[in-house]
Amino acid sequence: MGASFETHHMLFLLWFFAATFSLNFFKVESNSNVSCIEKDKQALLSFKQGLVDSGNVLSSWSDHEDCCRWHGVRCDSNTSQVTELHLSCPMDGDGDFNYKKTLGGVISHSLLELEHLNYLDLSWNEFNCTGIPSFLGSMGSMRHLDLHDSGFCGVIPYQLGNLSSLHYLNLGHNFLHADNLHWMSSLSAIQYLDLSSADLHREVDWLQIMSKFPSLSELDLNGCQLDSLNPSLGFVNFTSLRVLFLSGNHFNHEIPNWFSNLSTSLLGLGLAENSLIGGIPSSILHFQKLEYLDLGENSLRGKIPDSLGQLKHLKSLSLGGNPLSGPIPSSIGNLSELQFLFLDSSKLNGTVPKSLGLLSNLFSLSIAMNTFTGSLDEAHFTKLSKLKYLEISYTPLFFNVNSNWVPPFQLEYVSTSSCNIGPNFPTWLHTQTSLQFLLLPLSGISDKAPSWFWDWISNISTVDLSNNHIEGDVPDILLNSTILNLRSNHFKGRLPRLSANVEVLDMANNSIFGSLSTFLCQKMNKKNKLKVLDVSNNFLCGELSNCWRYWQSLMHLNLGSNNLSGRIPYSLGSLVELESLSLQNNSIYGDIPSSLKRCSKLGLINIGDNHFLRTIPLWITKMTKLIVLRLRSSGFKGNIPLNICQISSLRILDLANNSLSGPIPSCLKNMSAMVMPDYQGIYFDSLEYMFDYGSYLENLMLVPKGHELQYEDNLKYVRIIDLSSNNLSGSIPVEISVLSELRFLNLSRNYLMGSIPENIGILQKLESIDLSWNLLSGEIPPSMSNLTFLNYLDLSYNNFSSRIPSSTQLQSFDVVRYIGNPQLCGDPLPKCCTPRIGKSCNRTSIGKTKEDSASSSFYMGMGVGFAIGFWGVCGGLFFKRTWRHAYFKFVNDTKNWFYVTTILKVKWLLEKR
Ligand SMILES: *[C@@H]1O[C@H](CO)[C@@H](O)[C@H](O)[C@H]1NC(C)=O
Ligand SMILES: *[C@@H]1O[C@H](CO)[C@@H](O)[C@H](O)[C@H]1NC(C)=O
Ligand SMILES: *[C@@H]1O[C@H](CO)[C@@H](O)[C@H](O)[C@H]1NC(C)=O
Ligand SMILES: *[C@@H]1O[C@H](CO)[C@@H](O)[C@H](O)[C@H]1NC(C)=O
Ligand SMILES: *[C@@H]1O[C@H](CO)[C@@H](O)[C@H](O)[C@H]1NC(C)=O
Ligand SMILES: *[C@@H]1O[C@H](CO)[C@@H](O)[C@H](O)[C@H]1NC(C)=O
Ligand SMILES: *[C@@H]1O[C@H](CO)[C@@H](O)[C@H](O)[C@H]1NC(C)=O
């Protein structure tokens, strides 16, 4: 889980830079009054011919124009020879890469004609996994070669070693590999080398090779699968190095001693995510000029050395994600240039030093997920006037400030999940007028919402105040936040009006009353964007209304556990984007309209606990995306439709407690989601809606092991068939043993006859079987003793006979799980079996049930914990390729290296997917 906080700050940086900077660094001026050489022009035209230029970037490259004035071309002002090609993907006005304008295709040999070309930049294009052309190694004048992030694949051509004038080589973020790098040793002029993400694990001599370049000043080997920093070497001659990025490899050893030979003018050092062990070495202190230090996400232990305060030039310090203990040294207050401080997800304890309040340049502070004690008070923030990002969640700190405190900062992001920021409503928040992300779930606020509350939050785009005890009337107000999560508080009143900005409204578990239709039928001037509406567990009443056509963007709708009545309106079928529909636990009756067929994206239907008194509609079996079907306790009758097995994505089938009759369909084996193990890339879009810094998760009550459990983030791991408490007859189909991924099976309280299928033991993932109160007979199949994960079993009240097979599992269940079977014998039942082959029944000592064993607790939907999993946090943002690229671009072009490792991690995590 540590990773999620790590991602928090990476995301934050992305967000910050994409939002704050206009990233237009890339205007290439053409020379105004040189005119180009015909031979060069022809070479360029034939280079253009090989390229795929669907965005018409090269439209200026035409025969009747001076080629020195073409886009991206630069000529020598004296000789008019073409010397530079700047063909990186252009940006649009927002500073995003304009992906319609990437180049691709073939890099033509005609480039060789440009004998004086010394600068070639093809970065951020899309060469579609072709190889880097080896002839580039023949371009003897080349000084600057940039092929960063352009989709190249394959081996790094050794011919590049011939480029003896090369100063700058950037092959980072492609899909490259190299078996050895010895050919590189002739790159004697190299100053900047970026091979990040290339697989170099076969080159064990990388360190020797890199340390022989006399002028090497920046080296980036992030994510290169390197295995060792050769801790045994006494000396590595990296004396001119100013920047060293080696994050995301797997060194698994201590930071070697040779680091102390690195130049004292080192500016940046990135060693994050390397499984480094040991402590933070004191040699770090030797780099007095260090501005960027990233040792995050390793296994470094011990204390943060107090002497860290000597690194006075540090601008970014990242030590988070290490099992470091002890306090934050108070010398931290000496780091007056510090802008980014990430100490999250460690085991730091003690009180937070007040000297933190001296960091007058601090922009971003994250001390989340530690075990600090005490409180944060005004002194901790005295000079933090530049603070924009404050992350202190999952740290048991009290926020102890005066009610009239006016903080020196204007935050844009604050997250205090699980801190004690209450019990009073934090009034200082009202002074914060730039907030975009207000994340205060589970923060112990137990107070009335102040009078300014609703006006104030309407300017904040993401608000999460869930799981507090905030009281307040929902006035007749226009809600305006994009994401608004007020779940599990004490808000009361009628549903408010929504502005066209609102995408997520979660007011579940409050005391909202009144009619739903007034809300749904509100007039809105603009087309609304509402995607998630969860008002479950309130006191809404009336019918479901007919105004659904106004809400066509809805993807997740939960109206469960209210007092809604009437029929499901036909117009609900106009919600064609709907992925989940939850109407459970109301008083809805009548037909389930066939118009819902049109909602073909539905992955979750939960309409249980109503009064339908109908047969299960056949069209449901055509819903091919359905993952969850819960029709529990709603008076359904008739047979289970045979075609139900056509729903191949079904993982949760809960038809319990109805009046269904007839047999269990034997086609079960067609339900492939219960048969196939999860493969990578499986999507559960219908179970979650992700946004920046969070997600909305579907939740569901299930009865996996005899009692109700609420499933939320772990819903996607559940596979259950619950047909209990119906009037089903016939036998248990033998096909059931094909459902090898099934975890919970409940067929209890029916009229099933016959025996348990012989090979049920194949269902290795089964954690629970309930077959109680049926008419089943015969032996308990010996294969059941193979069900090693089984921790709930109920076979009581059937006609089973003979001996209970012996296994650690089967004997561990309580006697009551077997009673009511007069002919059953053997341990754990008191009844001895007739001795066979000399063995009578001796009670073993295992007598204890293991129903809540650790093996299953992972799957149980309880506790609050992290509602947001790793990818949940990442939200849509992580996948916004444009932002990611914009950021890389920023970093690259401004030579603002010092955020590089942090961000490279993002990309690299993406590639690990
Ligand atoms: C370029 O053109 C400008 C006027 O447009 C002129 O002043 C300048 O001398 C020219 N330079 C060369 C190198 O021809
Ligand atoms: C990339 O390759 C795929 C298949 O090889 C092809 O369909 C696609 O059009 C190519 N894209 C570009 C931009 O060349
Ligand atoms: C380290 O490298 C520099 C530059 O290449 C060279 O001048 C110096 O002699 C080397 N030192 C050692 C001890 O090898
Ligand atoms: C911090 O944790 C360490 C190691 O768990 C422990 O020895 C030390 O007493 C703790 N310090 C405080 C102030 O709680
Ligand atoms: C509503 O939100 C938008 C941005 O999403 C903001 O510009 C506007 O000021 C807000 N309106 C009110 C009344 O707060
Ligand atoms: C239990 O499983 C093993 C291997 O999976 C198999 O060889 C054995 O026959 C099974 N036992 C029973 C009783 O089915
Ligand atoms: C049953 O247990 C008793 C004493 O606990 C022992 O004497 C006897 O041999 C056992 N019988 C079998 C068949 O294991």
Side-chain angles (χ1 to χ4, degrees):
M1 270 305 165
S4 66
F5 279 90
E6 202 50 23
T7 8
H8 255 95
H9 65 70
M10 293 188 273
L11 286 172
F12 169 71
L13 289 174
L14 279 174
W15 161 69
F16 171 70
F17 286 108
T20 317
F21 290 91
S22 164
L23 305 171
N24 254 327
F25 306 106
F26 237 63
K27 293 252 156 66
V28 179
E29 287 151 35
S30 309
N31 319 43
S32 52
N33 44 8
V34 283
S35 62
C36 90
I37 295 170
E38 185 61 20
K39 172 168 159 275
D40 289 0
K41 181 191 244 178
Q42 292 311 322
L44 287 172
L45 285 173
S46 111
F47 170 61
K48 176 184 175 181
Q49 264 189 343
L51 296 176
V52 175
D53 176 20
S54 40
N56 266 327
V57 177
L58 304 182
S59 57
S60 61
W61 289 33
S62 73
D63 209 5
H64 36 267
E65 285 249 16
D66 179 355
C67 77
C68 293
R69 290 161 166 266
W70 290 355
H71 168 80
V73 179
R74 281 199 198 169
C75 297
D76 183 286
S77 54
N78 297 320
T79 64
S80 299
Q81 287 145 337
V82 172
T83 52
E84 303 190 2
L85 285 179
H86 296 253
L87 295 175
S88 182
C89 177
M91 304 232 182
D92 58 23
D94 298 333
D96 273 354
F97 280 93
N98 189 337
Y99 281 98
K100 294 197 177 104
K101 298 204 167 173
T102 53
L103 298 171
V106 177
I107 298 173
S108 153
H109 279 82
S110 62
L111 276 185
L112 287 172
E113 305 282 317
L114 303 171
E115 288 163 43
H116 300 275
L117 194 69
N118 60 48
Y119 187 110
L120 176 60
D121 180 0
L122 290 171
S123 59
W124 310 97
N125 284 302
E126 185 48 83
F127 286 94
N128 215 359
C129 215
T130 55
I132 293 179
S134 54
F135 71 78
L136 290 179
S138 310
M139 306 195 69
S141 309
M142 195 69 77
R143 291 162 55 87
H144 182 111
L145 180 58
D146 191 349
L147 303 179
H148 188 91
D149 206 328
S150 284
F152 288 107
C153 292
V155 68
I156 303 175
Y158 65 88
Q159 289 89 344
L160 295 183
N162 297 336
L163 299 176
S164 54
S165 313
L166 210 57
H167 283 60
Y168 179 104
L169 178 60
N170 190 343
L171 305 178
H173 291 269
N174 287 292
F175 309 91
L176 301 170
H177 60 93
D179 288 348
N180 83 70
L181 296 174
H182 283 277
W183 52 267
M184 276 202 152
S185 45
S186 44
L187 297 177
S188 50
I190 200 82
Q191 295 174 7
Y192 178 102
L193 181 58
D194 181 350
L195 300 178
S196 54
S197 308
D199 181 351
L200 304 180
H201 82 276
R202 287 170 189 272
E203 178 50 277
V204 289
D205 290 336
W206 66 274
L207 195 54
Q208 284 85 337
I209 294 164
M210 299 298 161
S211 61
K212 292 226 169 75
F213 299 125
S215 323
L216 190 64
S217 142
E218 300 194 28
L219 177 61
D220 187 337
L221 297 177
N222 280 343
C224 287
Q225 321 258 1
L226 302 171
D227 291 322
S228 169
L229 283 169
N230 284 6
S232 56
L233 288 182
F235 177 75
V236 175
N237 196 359
F238 263 143
T239 42
S240 44
L241 212 55
R242 286 158 65 82
V243 174
L244 179 59
F245 289 139
L246 293 169
S247 292
N249 290 292
H250 17 77
F251 297 135
N252 300 313
H253 51 65
E254 297 190 12
I255 297 179
N257 288 332
W258 61 256
F259 266 74
S260 56
N261 326 128
L262 290 175
S263 156
T264 49
S265 48
L266 197 72
L267 295 174
L269 178 60
L271 283 171
E273 303 199 43
N274 273 316
S275 315
L276 291 168
I277 56 175
I280 298 177
S282 53
S283 57
I284 296 281
L285 302 173
H286 165 74
F287 310 127
Q288 290 287 332
K289 299 209 170 129
L290 209 58
E291 295 181 16
Y292 173 93
L293 176 60
D294 188 354
L295 300 177
E297 299 280 314
N298 281 297
S299 302
L300 299 172
R301 293 179 181 277
K303 291 191 170 159
I304 301 178
D306 193 48
S307 44
L308 199 73
Q310 293 170 22
L311 300 179
K312 291 204 166 44
H313 298 289
L314 269 183
K315 293 189 166 132
S316 173
L317 173 62
S318 185
L319 303 175
N322 282 294
L324 293 166
S325 57
I328 299 178
S330 63
S331 69
I332 199 126
N334 297 343
L335 304 179
S336 58
E337 294 184 28
L338 202 63
Q339 297 175 16
F340 293 88
L341 179 58
F342 298 115
L343 299 177
D344 46 70
S345 315
S346 298
K347 297 194 165 142
L348 299 173
N349 60 5
T351 56
V352 179
K354 292 207 169 29
S355 58
L356 209 57
L358 301 174
L359 301 177
S360 57
N361 280 304
L362 201 64
F363 174 91
S364 171
L365 173 62
S366 177
I367 53 170
M369 292 186 81
N370 281 293
T371 50
F372 296 120
T373 45
S375 60
L376 289 179
D377 56 38
E378 290 157 33
H380 288 101
F381 300 99
T382 317
K383 291 193 173 165
L384 304 192
S385 59
K386 294 189 182 158
L387 196 68
K388 295 272 175 243
Y389 176 94
L390 177 61
E391 172 63 88
I392 57 171
S393 52
Y394 300 100
T395 300
L397 284 169
F398 285 86
F399 216 82
N400 183 15
V401 296
N402 224 304
S403 63
N404 52 13
W405 181 46
V406 180
F409 47 70
Q410 284 293 338
L411 297 177
E412 292 180 14
Y413 173 106
V414 56
S415 169
T416 67
S417 321
S418 290
C419 290
N420 295 303
I421 197 165
N424 295 333
F425 198 93
T427 44
W428 62 268
L429 283 172
H430 194 208
T431 64
Q432 302 297 297
T433 54
S434 312
L435 269 177
Q436 293 186 44
F437 296 90
L438 174 72
L439 309 175
L440 276 61
L442 267 171
S443 297
I445 304 173
S446 183
D447 195 6
K448 266 183 114 66
S451 55
W452 41 265
F453 179 79
W454 297 100
D455 276 342
W456 173 69
I457 61 168
S458 71
N459 277 311
I460 307 173
S461 70
T462 298
V463 177
D464 185 352
L465 292 167
S466 60
N467 294 293
N468 284 292
H469 301 278
I470 305 173
E471 290 165 42
D473 289 325
V474 180
D476 183 22
I477 187 194
L478 192 66
L479 296 180
N480 184 47
S481 303
T482 310
I483 313 288
L484 187 54
N485 184 357
L486 302 176
R487 195 182 183 90
S488 300
N489 277 289
H490 302 312
F491 288 106
K492 61 176 197 283
R494 290 169 195 278
L495 280 171
R497 287 172 302 127
L498 303 186
S499 87
N501 289 329
V502 184
E503 279 180 33
V504 175
L505 177 61
D506 188 346
M507 298 198 73
N509 303 339
N510 280 285
S511 306
I512 308 295
F513 53 78
S515 102
L516 182 67
S517 7
T518 321
F519 169 77
L520 288 174
C521 298
Q522 63 182 281
K523 278 251 162 39
M524 216 176 276
N525 296 330
K526 278 197 274 176
K527 194 169 177 286
N528 79 75
K529 303 197 201 91
L530 194 68
K531 298 200 166 67
V532 177
L533 176 63
D534 188 343
V535 288
S536 59
N537 266 310
N538 280 291
F539 304 106
L540 295 170
C541 57
E543 304 209 350
L544 287 178
S545 108
N546 253 320
C547 290
W548 295 105
R549 62 184 179 280
Y550 298 145
W551 305 93
Q552 304 228 339
S553 315
L554 270 178
M555 297 165 77
H556 297 263
L557 177 62
N558 191 341
L559 305 173
S561 300
N562 280 290
N563 300 327
L564 299 168
S565 56
R567 295 165 188 271
I568 298 180
Y570 194 81
S571 64
L572 198 63
S574 61
L575 302 180
V576 291
E577 297 298 322
L578 211 57
E579 295 181 356
S580 74
L581 174 63
S582 304
L583 304 173
Q584 77 285 358
N585 195 14
N586 280 292
S587 305
I588 301 169
Y589 57 83
D591 291 322
I592 300 166
S594 60
S595 62
L596 286 178
K597 274 195 288 213
R598 294 167 53 203
C599 312
S600 58
K601 297 183 178 170
L602 272 175
L604 180 151
I605 296 180
N606 177 8
I607 54 175
D609 305 297
N610 282 293
H611 312 297
F612 292 109
L613 310 178
R614 290 291 193 276
T615 55
I616 297 177
L618 281 178
W619 57 261
I620 265 186
T621 65
K622 299 256 160 59
M623 306 298 280
T624 52
K625 301 241 167 81
L626 214 53
I627 297 174
V628 177
L629 180 60
R630 184 178 181 276
L631 305 179
R632 194 185 183 89
S633 305
S634 276
F636 284 101
K637 54 192 185 180
N639 289 357
I640 299 177
L642 275 183
N643 298 343
I644 204 143
C645 315
Q646 287 173 9
I647 315 177
S648 57
S649 49
L650 206 58
R651 293 162 157 259
I652 295 180
L653 176 62
D654 185 351
L655 308 179
N657 201 19
N658 283 296
S659 307
L660 297 167
S661 52
I664 300 173
S666 61
C667 58
L668 291 171
K669 59 177 180 291
N670 297 344
M671 299 169 68
S672 45
M674 306 254 197
V675 179
M676 313 256 281
D678 278 340
Y679 52 92
Q680 255 193 331
I682 187 161
Y683 292 107
F684 295 100
D685 294 2
S686 52
L687 304 185
E688 62 199 337
Y689 177 77
M690 300 201 279
F691 43 83
D692 298 350
Y693 299 107
S695 61
Y696 169 80
L697 293 172
E698 289 295 338
N699 66 81
L700 199 66
M701 294 301 274
L702 293 170
V703 189
K705 299 179 187 178
H707 50 269
E708 276 200 322
L709 281 180
Q710 178 160 327
Y711 282 83
E712 202 172 57
D713 44 345
N714 40 15
L715 194 55
K716 61 181 80 156
Y717 303 110
V718 179
R719 289 183 238 207
I720 184 171
I721 295 180
D722 188 346
L723 307 176
S724 60
S725 302
N726 278 291
N727 304 324
L728 299 171
S729 54
S731 58
I732 302 176
V734 288
E735 288 82 357
I736 207 153
S737 58
V738 177
L739 306 181
S740 53
E741 295 293 315
L742 194 63
R743 293 184 187 282
F744 309 106
L745 176 64
N746 189 348
L747 304 176
S748 65
R749 292 168 199 269
N750 280 293
Y751 300 101
L752 298 172
M753 298 196 291
S755 54
I756 301 179
E758 202 62 32
N759 49 4
I760 192 154
I762 297 175
L763 300 183
Q764 284 291 311
K765 303 252 167 96
L766 268 183
E767 291 178 40
S768 117
I769 306 177
D770 190 347
L771 303 175
S772 60
W773 296 94
N774 275 292
L775 308 169
L776 296 165
S777 56
E779 287 193 25
I780 297 174
S783 78
M784 278 186 82
S785 57
N786 260 357
L787 296 173
T788 44
F789 286 119
L790 200 65
N791 55 41
Y792 183 91
L793 174 75
D794 196 343
L795 301 178
S796 59
Y797 301 101
N798 280 288
N799 287 320
F800 291 119
S801 55
S802 3
R803 176 191 298 275
I804 298 172
S806 53
S807 80
T808 23
Q809 250 69 29
L810 296 181
Q811 271 67 47
S812 69
F813 300 110
D814 198 277
V815 175
V816 296
R817 306 299 182 196
Y818 295 102
I819 57 172
N821 292 288
Q823 300 181 58
L824 200 59
C825 63
D827 193 13
L829 287 173
K831 184 181 168 190
C832 293
C833 302
T834 351
R836 271 190 266 174
I837 325 166
K839 189 167 195 273
S840 86
C841 76
N842 262 359
R843 297 193 57 98
T844 52
S845 56
I846 307 171
K848 203 167 139 267
T849 60
K850 301 206 300 180
E851 283 172 26
D852 288 311
S853 78
S855 74
S856 71
S857 59
F858 176 64
Y859 299 106
M860 307 224 276
M862 293 183 304
V864 212
F866 297 98
I868 311 164
F870 177 75
W871 292 108
V873 171
C874 303
L877 185 56
F878 227 137
F879 302 103
K880 258 187 213 161
R881 196 171 136 94
T882 53
W883 278 24
R884 169 166 67 85
H885 274 201
Y887 182 75
F888 278 105
K889 194 76 191 170
F890 169 75
V891 161
N892 251 18
D893 293 343
T894 58
K895 288 277 161 284
N896 205 337
W897 48 265
F898 84 43
Y899 307 119
V900 172
T901 29
T902 312
I903 277 318
L904 288 182
K905 269 185 273 177
V906 176
K907 161 97 183 195
W908 170 68
L909 282 168
L910 278 168
E911 279 163 6
K912 282 204 302 194
R913 281 197 84 215

